[in-house]
Amino acid sequence: MHKRSHFPQPTEKDSKHFLTDQLRIENCCKKMKLSLVTLFIAFLPLALSLQVGFYGKSCPKAESIVLDVVKQRFIATKGAAGPALIRMYFHDCFVRGCDASILIDSNSTHQAEKSAGANLGVREFGLIDQIKAKLEIACPQTVSCADIIALASRDAVALAGGPEYNVPTGRRDGLISQASEVNLPGPRMSVSQAQQAFAAKGMSLNDMVVLLGGHTVGFTHCHFFTDRLSNFKGTGAPDPTMRPALLIKLKGLCGSNPNVDHTVFLDQNTSLVFDNEFYNQIRNKRGVLQIDQDLALDSLSKNLVAKLASNNAFFSQSFANAMIKMGNIQVLQGSAGEIRKQCRVFNN
């Protein structure tokens, strides 16, 4: 015979209360877990990103120092320093990202990016040295050479009459510079080939068409387009897409002295003014480089070229946006890389 339990047997009502309490406890635990996860995430380091005014506290006069030196050089060269700085920025960012690797000097045992064929025409390294020297006096080892290039090219655009825009900073300088790694889009590429080169860097077709608009204040050497003047693509004849008047002009200039590689403005009209006239020139078959002329003819790009040619404000804003976007390619931040004491040499 079994003894009756001294504990009352649970009723149906008691069971319901038990289940309700159990659910409350489970929900409470879930909320506690969620709160702990949220708290944990809150204490994780935030992803690094470039910032406008990055040197506001560490070197408050950084951007004004860059502007002052660039302005002096811009005046001294009658604007010629402008396109050189824009080109330097492009050539730096397209190899290992915007890390000032293009500034490193080669030596007897090491060929740096600067020595690669595609970079032999890049100029104004001395200007970057001047800026760096002044910044090192104001705030030693604080402002990176990579940021100097980005800021100087921004100022060059504005000084030439182009858009004024804010440049996010906070880049650090790279520790590698190899001539063998330089592989830049060339002037004889087709639009689709150039598009692929830009896409590999996270840039769109529109970015490419807009950035090539920087040629509005640029110039090039005759050897980059002489094939268009007499033996285009092996035909033994000039490029039929070039206007006869421009063909005669360029033949006369480039053929005047075979021992001199003359320079030619890429915008044959407002050559030293940063505006959208470059696009009108290529639409009128007055493009000097093959890639420039093809932009106005290729189905991939001709509609955007027409829009840029008709609206200078649209070009200015688009160019500023594309320059900022290019400045984010593979940047080094935080503890990566270094802040060089001299832009031409690694610290160690």
Side-chain angles (χ1 to χ4, degrees), residues 157 160-164 210 213-214 216-217 267 270 273-280 304-320:
V157 169
E164 296 181 4
V210 168
T216 187
V217 289
D267 176 346
T270 56
V273 180
F274 198 97
D275 57 18
N276 65 334
E277 181 58 21
F278 165 78
Y279 297 104
N280 288 303
L304 179 56
V305 167
K307 186 176 181 180
L308 292 164
S310 65
N311 190 330
N312 187 54
F314 173 64
F315 165 59
S316 293
Q317 186 59 58
S318 299
F319 188 83

Side-chain angles (χ1 to χ4, degrees), residues 53-62 135 138-144 147 169-170:
F54 178 83
Y55 299 107
K57 292 183 178 179
S58 60
C59 192
K61 294 184 178 180
L135 287 170
C139 30
Q141 245 180 310
T142 301
V143 182
S144 69
D147 277 341
T169 45

Side-chain angles (χ1 to χ4, degrees), residues 13 19 62 70 89-90 92-93 159 161 170 173 192 195 217 240 248-250 252 277 294 313 328 342:
K13 185 177 180 181
L19 290 173
V70 171
Y89 182 53
F90 173 80
D92 181 45
C93 291
L159 288 168
D173 300 323
S192 60
Q195 178 189 12
V217 289
I248 294 170
K249 176 183 176 180
L250 296 180
E277 181 58 21
D294 286 351
N328 281 279
Q342 298 180 43

Side-chain angles (χ1 to χ4, degrees), residues 145-274:
C145 300
D147 277 341
I148 292 174
I149 297 176
L151 291 167
S153 61
R154 183 271 307 270
D155 293 339
V157 169
L159 288 168
E164 296 181 4
Y165 55 95
N166 292 319
V167 169
T169 45
R171 300 167 187 81
R172 287 171 65 85
D173 300 323
L175 300 171
I176 299 172
S177 180
Q178 301 282 356
S180 59
E181 293 185 347
V182 177
N183 183 21
L184 297 163
R188 295 181 177 87
M189 275 187 170
S190 67
V191 173
S192 60
Q193 288 172 332
Q195 178 189 12
Q196 291 172 22
F198 273 76
K201 300 299 177 182
M203 305 292 283
S204 68
L205 173 67
N206 283 16
D207 295 328
M208 180 192 83
V209 176
V210 168
L211 286 171
L212 285 175
H215 286 172
T216 187
V217 289
F219 57 85
T220 188
H221 289 268
C222 287
H223 78 269
F224 285 116
F225 62 85
T226 47
D227 59 315
R228 296 189 70 207
L229 307 181
S230 57
N231 187 27
F232 184 59
K233 294 184 178 179
T235 61
D239 185 346
T241 65
M242 183 181 287
R243 280 202 177 276
L246 179 61
L247 176 63
I248 294 170
K249 176 183 176 180
L250 296 180
K251 271 188 171 181
L253 176 65
C254 295
S256 60
N257 187 341
N259 297 318
V260 178
D261 191 14
H262 291 283
T263 56
V264 177
F265 283 114
L266 295 171
D267 176 346
Q268 293 288 301
N269 191 11
T270 56
S271 307
L272 294 174
V273 180
F274 198 97

Side-chain angles (χ1 to χ4, degrees), residues 54-74:
F54 178 83
Y55 299 107
K57 292 183 178 179
S58 60
C59 192
K61 294 184 178 180
E63 296 199 21
S64 61
I65 289 172
V66 175
L67 175 59
D68 288 344
V69 180
V70 171
K71 187 183 292 183
Q72 291 173 21
R73 183 62 178 164
F74 189 88

